[in-house]
Amino acid sequence: MPELPEVEITRRGVAQHFTGQTLLDVTVRQPRLRWPVPDSLSSLAGARLDSVERRSKYVAMRFGAQVVLVHLGMSGTLKVVDAQSAWDKHDHVQWLFEGKALRLNDPRRFGSVDLLAARDYEAQTHPRLASLGPEPLGVGFTPEQFFKATRGKTLSAKALLLSGAAVVGVGNIYACEALFRAAVRPGRAAGRLSRADCTRLHSAIVAVLGEAIERGGSTLRNFQAIDGELGHFQTHCDVYGREGQGCKRCEGVIKRRVMNQRSTFYCPGCQR
């Protein structure tokens, strides 16, 4: 699943190619995604793309008083193509601009495309946005706020990161990496983390996500940037995908366990 760094890379690509351009047409070939694609999407023809933003794992394209909200789901990508290019098998939605087009390709159709009023996007009142926690790279995500979000929680530290309640956008790969850097075992109850633990984990989350964006995200299966470039953060992981290999920090060996149906990698020697 594309995580926050991959979505941020995608956002930057869409912004670079299309900001300021006029949307000429919208084509929906497959409306049955995770939720039905709204028929009103075609009403945007003739509007100008003012900006491209990101909220958690959503790409938000702002056209005047309306916002197109795109989620890539498990296997989706946004790609830029020539306007006359043949459609690939899993291309479902196209936004046609001046000479180029933006297409959503989603083999598993777990992604989504919504259209909402800009005021609802700004107020975060839309159902897709209302329950989201703070952005990890924004000013609202502070060590103190994060510490308070862990109080009284019986779920594991890793599960809290994946839930999006304490912080958004930290998916499986980056949760494993941040927990390792903070020397926190993934299965520890979030409510048992000390203030010092939370301060280290807060810093690790920000650092890991920042580095992942610089490295173009992680490409394990489907993800590629809007221009086809593959991410390579996965080749620099400390624990993710390194089961049975030596720890880079101590003499331990990286282990793998399944938590909440997700592979979790950690070092039992130095993560407590």
Side-chain angles (χ1 to χ4, degrees):
M1 174 185 290
E3 300 181 12
L4 184 147
E6 291 78 57
V7 178
E8 176 61 20
I9 295 298
T10 298
R11 181 204 69 79
R12 294 180 183 185
V14 176
Q16 179 182 352
H17 282 276
F18 299 112
T19 299
Q21 292 193 25
T22 299
L23 180 64
L24 304 179
D25 191 28
V26 180
T27 302
V28 179
R29 288 189 19 169
Q30 174 55 271
R32 296 191 303 274
L33 301 182
R34 185 174 184 181
W35 297 286
V37 177
D39 294 335
S40 55
L41 206 62
S42 60
S43 68
L44 292 175
R48 178 181 182 272
L49 179 58
D50 297 321
S51 64
V52 184
E53 303 166 19
R54 179 189 55 75
R55 178 68 173 108
S56 183
K57 298 178 184 179
Y58 290 94
V59 174
M61 297 185 287
R62 188 185 292 263
F63 293 90
Q66 293 183 292
V67 172
V68 176
L69 202 63
V70 179
H71 196 289
L72 300 179
M74 295 291 292
S75 59
T77 57
L78 286 170
K79 58 183 182 178
V80 59
V81 299
D82 290 333
Q84 303 305 316
S85 294
W87 289 65
D88 289 337
K89 180 179 179 180
H90 300 295
D91 289 346
H92 301 317
V93 182
Q94 172 179 277
W95 294 266
L96 178 64
F97 292 90
E98 300 159 11
K100 297 285 185 180
L102 179 68
R103 288 181 186 166
L104 172 65
N105 182 281
D106 187 1
R108 300 181 69 179
R109 293 186 6 218
F110 285 168
S112 64
V113 177
D114 289 289
L115 183 64
L116 57 152
R119 63 179 179 275
D120 293 331
Y121 171 73
E122 292 161 1
Q124 305 288 288
T125 55
H126 189 275
R128 311 278 189 263
L129 307 173
S131 62
L132 295 176
E135 287 286 331
L137 304 180
V139 295
F141 183 55
T142 66
E144 182 63 22
Q145 174 273 329
F146 183 58
F147 175 68
K148 290 180 179 179
T150 65
R151 298 304 86 193
K153 299 296 191 299
T154 58
L155 76 171
S156 69
K158 187 189 177 193
L160 180 68
L161 296 185
L162 296 182
S163 73
V167 58
V168 298
V170 184
N172 195 45
I173 297 173
Y174 305 114
C176 290
E177 292 299 302
L179 287 162
F180 173 77
R181 292 194 187 188
V184 172
R185 188 162 303 202
R188 277 183 63 187
R192 292 184 175 273
L193 297 180
S194 68
R195 188 181 297 272
D197 291 331
C198 290
T199 297
R200 292 197 312 274
L201 186 51
H202 172 275
S203 296
I205 290 167
V206 173
V208 165
L209 294 177
E211 290 172 22
I213 292 170
E214 291 178 2
R215 296 183 187 278
S218 298
T219 298
L220 299 181
R221 293 181 184 174
N222 304 90
F223 175 72
Q224 58 183 5
I226 191 172
D227 55 2
E229 286 292 319
L230 303 181
H232 56 93
F233 178 83
Q234 72 278 1
T235 64
H236 300 270
C237 287
D238 292 320
V239 289
Y240 190 86
R242 298 188 66 244
E243 180 184 10
Q245 299 182 45
C247 177
K248 297 180 180 181
R249 185 166 56 202
C250 73
E251 297 180 356
V253 175
I254 303 304
K255 289 191 175 183
R256 171 187 172 274
R257 61 176 289 198
V258 177
M259 297 176 60
N260 303 110
Q261 301 181 322
R262 306 299 298 275
S263 290
T264 300
F265 300 88
Y266 68 101
C267 175
C270 59
Q271 286 178 259
R272 307 277 180 193

